[in-house]
Structures are given as C-alpha cells and as structure tokens.
Amino acid sequence: MNEELDSTYKKLKADILFVHAPAFYDFREESKVYFPFFSTSGDIPITPLYDSFPLGFKTLQRFLTDREFDAKILNLTSLLLIYPGIDIESLLRDVDVKVFGIDLHWMVHVQGSLETASLIKRIHPCVPILFGGISATYFADELIRYPFVDFVMRGYDTHLPMAKLLEALKEGLALKAIPNLLWKDKQGNIIDNGLSHFPSNMLTGIDWSNMPGVSKKSLFPITDIVTVENSGCIHKCGWCGGSGDAFKRINRCSHTLVQKDMAQYEYEMKKIKEIPGNDTYNLYTCGSYNQSDDRLESILSCISESNLKSIIYDQYHLTSDDILKSMVKANDKTVINLSPQSHDLRISKLSGRGSYNMEEMERWIERALEFGIFEIDIWFFIGMPEQSEKSVLDTVDYCNKILNHFKGKRVIPYICPMIPFLDPGSTFFENPGR
Ligand code: SF4
C-alpha cells in the first residue's frame, strides 16, 4: 500500500466517520458496470461512480465539530479511483472510529452503500453503522432490517439529532429520546423513535475554506463548488424525488420547502472567498428557482463579493430582465440552465415544466445574451410522459434549429436519457399506473 496513505489511515480516529461509497462496489473488479454514466452530463464534473458526496456531510461535519465531536469524511469512491491498487480491507481495519455514517442519498448508490456497509461490519462488528439521506429516509424500514445496519437517521435536517446521538453513545445514555432515529437495541429489536424534528430553516452553512485545494499534479483539476439555497422545492416535477410533493411524502411533514438562513449563505460565500485561487472556481447554485426576487437579489449580492470565475443557475421560469441584469452584475460569466424537458409544450407540461413555449424561450435567449449572460444551456430529456420516439427525434431536430439560430453564440442544447432510477418518493414512482 502507498506508505503515505497507510500512515494517514493508521492514525485515523473519529467519533464519526462519514463514508461515501461508490455507486458500485467493487468497480475495480467489474469495470463493465458503468450504467450511471447515462445520468451524468457534460457540465457536471463527476465520474460514472458518483464520487461527489451529499453536501449534508459537510454541514454535519461543521455542526458536530462545533460541538466538539471529531467528525471526519472518507470519500471512498475518490480514494479507490486515485489509488486503484489499494487494499481497502486493510485500510478500514486500521481506522478507529465510534460510528460509521454512510449516505444513501441518491438511489444510484444503493449497491455500493450496502456492500460497503456489509464490508465494514465484517471488519468492525462492534462499531455501529448508520445510514442517512433522502433514499435512506424513504427506505428506512427496509434498511434497518439488514444485519449490518444499526441506525437510520431520517429527515431533511439531521444536525441536532446526530449531535444527540453521538452524545448519547459517548455518555452511554438511552437512545429513545433521539428524534428521527430508527434503530436496533442489543437484542436486535427495531425501535422507531418517530419523525419529529422538522426545522423551518437551514441553519448550518458549509465551511468551504478547508477545501483540499487543487493539486498541481492533477490532470483534471476539479474546481467546482455546489451550494444549495434551500431543501425541498416549490415545484412539482413528477419524476423528481426533491419536488415539494416528494419532500412532504418522504419526510412526513406538511411543508414543501426549507430555506437556508441568509446569514449562513453569507457565511458560505465568505468562506468560498478564502479558498486559495478561488477566482479559478465555478459555483453551481442549486435552488435559485425557489427564491423570491428579493431573496435572490440578496443572494446575488453575496455572490458578487465571492470573486469566483463563473456561476451557474438553474431556472424554472424565464428569468426576469431585472434579475438577468443583477446576475451579470454579480459575475460576468453567468451561465443559465433551462430545462423545458421537451420542445413540445404538452409533454413539457406533463413533465412538470411547460411555463413557456419555445418561441418565448428563443425571444428570452436573445434578450439574456444582450444583457450579457455568458452561456445558456437548454436541457431536454428522453423518457418524459407520453413522449414517443418521433417526439424525441423532433426534439433532436429542434436542437439543430437552436444551434443554427444561435450559431457563434454560447447557446447549447443537450438531450439525454432520464436517470437509471426513478426517484423513490416522486409522484411518478408513487403512482406508476397514472
Ligand atoms: S426537478 Fe422540478 S421539482 Fe425537482 S428540484 Fe428541480 S424544479 Fe424542483
């Protein structure tokens, strides 16, 4: 094993080690398993193994560290990609942690997360294994039945329950009062503490200043940051596990959206500014389509201070002229993603979109470019409701029309298949016959 790596992991101690598993374990022996590739896209720097871990790992790390717990993150996927010859069992044997926390956020990780949990349990039979994330919350009752799963922490915001859990484990306290926890006692009985922790704001921003930095040796340096402005959504795209309806269903709550506290957003932007060489980084903001104009103006004002190279926004509606101008003022390399899903307004509406037709979109693109928007990406998907083969091919023709119409300008249409798993909890998943 790499000696430097060996000494790093021999020393690794933590109250909780968050482990991000690859989509498929062990891909090093089954390199043909690359289906997740179909859900990756040109502008998202991610490998077919989904090596990006959920942002919740970073907020949990900050929240728990602030409360004097030692919380570390192991991105097992990246580690296996960087050191393909690594003996993972020997590495895991050397770590000394009190709890392993594994994310099952996106379904694409289901095999990798379960296999990794099973492997860890074989190596550390006495160390509890905890699952969390959107899919873990949805499938909590199924997950807890696996012999290698001890805890499932459910919900969209688990910061406080996680701190209570670590405290209880440290002090040997009863676990019955910890909200959102589904767990097994020593006899293997499953105990459901119920879901009762539903904070109305996201109160923990990410400390981006401790990013590992870009290695000079890296051939493909990753200089992208993703931030979320909220959890949940005001929109209702039927295939989406993050829609407002899915959010209520999965978390068993009555609200569809939880906004990030503005002070925390400001904190994140300040921390981004502290990253060495941050003017080479791109920021992908996730959730600007859930913001009122006033709140979005405040967000843009924070972004304008961050000194980043470029910013990407997803937009559900065609952005107003005033907001377009503010976006350009905040950063002159502003990229907007539009996702009409289909050029056909009827199919677009059936997909949960359809708030504009293609003529309106084209006129809007002309204006946005005039205001100084740097690039506009238009996303179409295959697999939308009532979409026929002919309709898909008509969308391809429409992409060609767009390319010709905006020749020489940064207007880029994409067409790609819907992800290999329909999100659990989404409206289409719940009502497959409709
Ligand atoms: S896909 Fe639709 S429902 Fe899902 S987060 Fe985006 S806008 Fe909201």
Side-chain angles (χ1 to χ4, degrees):
M1 190 192 295
N2 176 301
E3 273 175 30
E4 191 189 335
L5 200 63
D6 200 18
S7 66
T8 303
Y9 285 94
K10 276 221 161 78
K11 284 186 292 190
L12 198 152
K13 282 181 189 238
D15 292 315
I16 183 160
L17 181 65
F18 293 108
V19 180
H20 180 62
F24 185 82
Y25 186 85
D26 186 345
F27 63 89
R28 296 173 302 174
E29 289 154 19
E30 291 276 350
S31 57
K32 64 181 182 290
V33 183
Y34 272 132
F35 65 88
F37 179 71
F38 293 114
S39 61
T40 62
S41 55
D43 70 347
I44 300 170
I46 193 167
T47 73
L49 297 156
Y50 276 70
D51 39 334
S52 290
F53 54 76
L55 290 176
F57 271 13
K58 295 287 283 178
T59 58
L60 278 165
Q61 186 179 36
R62 179 177 166 222
F63 188 88
L64 296 172
T65 305
D66 285 352
R67 281 149 190 81
E68 306 204 333
F69 293 107
D70 186 358
K72 293 198 170 81
I73 298 172
L74 168 62
N75 191 335
L76 190 59
T77 319
S78 297
L79 196 73
L80 292 170
L81 284 167
I82 296 168
Y83 303 102
I86 200 171
D87 176 353
I88 201 68
E89 295 201 17
S90 135
L91 179 144
L92 286 170
R93 199 167 292 119
D94 287 339
V95 303
D96 176 8
V97 304
K98 307 231 170 57
V99 183
F100 287 95
I102 299 177
D103 65 280
L104 180 51
H105 202 56
W106 304 293
M107 275 305 282
V108 74
H109 285 283
V110 64
Q111 190 275 352
S113 298
L114 292 174
E115 276 301 307
T116 301
S118 165
L119 171 70
I120 292 175
K121 200 55 156 182
R122 278 203 306 278
I123 298 169
H124 295 280
C126 299
V127 180
I129 292 184
L130 175 144
F131 269 75
I134 297 178
S135 300
T137 298
Y138 185 86
F139 287 116
D141 294 336
E142 289 77 13
L143 272 177
I144 197 71
R145 285 190 231 138
Y146 282 99
F148 47 81
V149 178
D150 301 281
F151 303 128
V152 184
M153 188 58 89
R154 299 161 295 180
Y156 58 84
D157 183 331
T158 61
H159 298 88
L160 200 60
M162 282 297 293
K164 286 186 175 181
L165 175 63
L166 293 191
E167 183 68 27
L169 293 174
K170 195 172 180 179
E171 303 296 335
L173 305 173
L175 304 183
K176 281 196 173 151
I178 296 166
N180 296 19
L181 186 67
L182 186 65
W183 57 289
K184 276 189 213 128
D185 66 13
K186 287 206 173 89
Q187 290 70 43
N189 301 308
I190 294 170
I191 301 165
D192 186 349
N193 289 0
L195 264 142
S196 57
H197 183 68
F198 302 122
S200 52
N201 276 75
M202 293 170 76
L203 290 172
T204 311
I206 294 173
D207 181 357
W208 293 102
S209 63
N210 56 15
M211 292 267 286
V214 176
S215 160
K216 289 206 173 91
K217 286 188 233 157
S218 175
L219 287 177
F220 303 105
I222 293 180
T223 49
D224 282 77
I225 298 169
V226 181
T227 61
V228 292
E229 281 114 29
N230 59 269
S231 182
C233 188
I234 55 173
H235 302 295
K236 297 183 170 189
C237 308
W239 39 271
C240 175
S243 72
D245 287 342
F247 187 83
K248 285 200 286 189
R249 229 173 252 137
I250 294 169
N251 296 298
R252 298 183 218 165
C253 61
S254 55
H255 49 282
T256 56
L257 185 77
V258 177
Q259 294 283 16
K260 184 174 276 175
D261 184 72
M262 266 317 289
Q264 291 303 315
Y265 199 83
E266 283 165 26
Y267 169 87
E268 285 200 24
M269 290 302 130
K270 268 196 205 122
K271 290 294 171 183
I272 282 175
K273 213 173 166 185
E274 291 173 22
I275 301 171
N278 77 331
D279 57 351
T280 61
Y281 279 72
N282 170 59
L283 176 72
Y284 178 33
T285 72
C286 203
S288 51
Y289 44 84
N290 279 319
Q291 308 304 319
S292 65
D293 280 2
D294 280 353
R295 214 178 113 94
L296 190 50
E297 288 286 5
S298 306
I299 287 170
L300 292 172
S301 150
C302 296
I303 286 175
S304 68
E305 301 284 316
S306 61
N307 195 36
L308 287 154
K309 183 184 80 178
S310 51
I311 319 282
I312 301 176
Y313 304 91
D314 291 337
Q315 292 288 271
Y316 185 92
H317 296 286
L318 297 175
T319 322
S320 71
D321 291 0
D322 285 347
I323 293 290
L324 285 173
K325 287 177 198 164
S326 298
M327 284 175 169
V328 174
K329 206 167 134 203
N331 190 294
D332 59 4
K333 281 213 172 80
T334 290
V335 178
I336 294 185
N337 281 331
L338 294 177
S339 302
Q341 313 295 88
S342 168
H343 74 291
D344 180 333
L345 187 60
R346 189 182 67 86
I347 293 172
S348 184
K349 280 188 174 159
L350 286 171
S351 313
R353 303 295 170 96
S355 65
Y356 48 86
N357 62 34
M358 294 302 95
E359 290 74 35
E360 288 164 333
M361 182 182 80
E362 287 168 33
R363 285 197 295 276
W364 174 88
I365 292 174
E366 301 277 7
R367 268 202 324 283
L369 292 173
E370 270 168 33
F371 290 140
I373 295 295
F374 184 73
E375 180 177 317
I376 296 163
D377 296 344
I378 310 161
W379 293 86
F380 298 104
F381 280 84
I382 303 167
M384 294 294 102
E386 298 187 22
Q387 192 182 32
S388 63
E389 184 182 343
K390 178 176 180 317
S391 175
V392 171
L393 293 174
D394 287 347
T395 300
V396 175
D397 288 343
Y398 181 71
C399 291
N400 198 28
K401 181 188 159 199
I402 285 278
L403 285 170
N404 285 324
H405 187 79
F406 292 102
K407 202 169 189 169
K409 298 178 179 161
R410 290 190 190 85
V411 178
I412 307 168
Y414 293 82
I415 183 159
C416 50
M418 189 39 80
I419 53 175
F421 292 95
L422 187 54
D423 287 348
S426 67
T427 299
F428 292 171
F429 184 91
E430 298 297 318
N431 305 288
R434 257 176 52 193

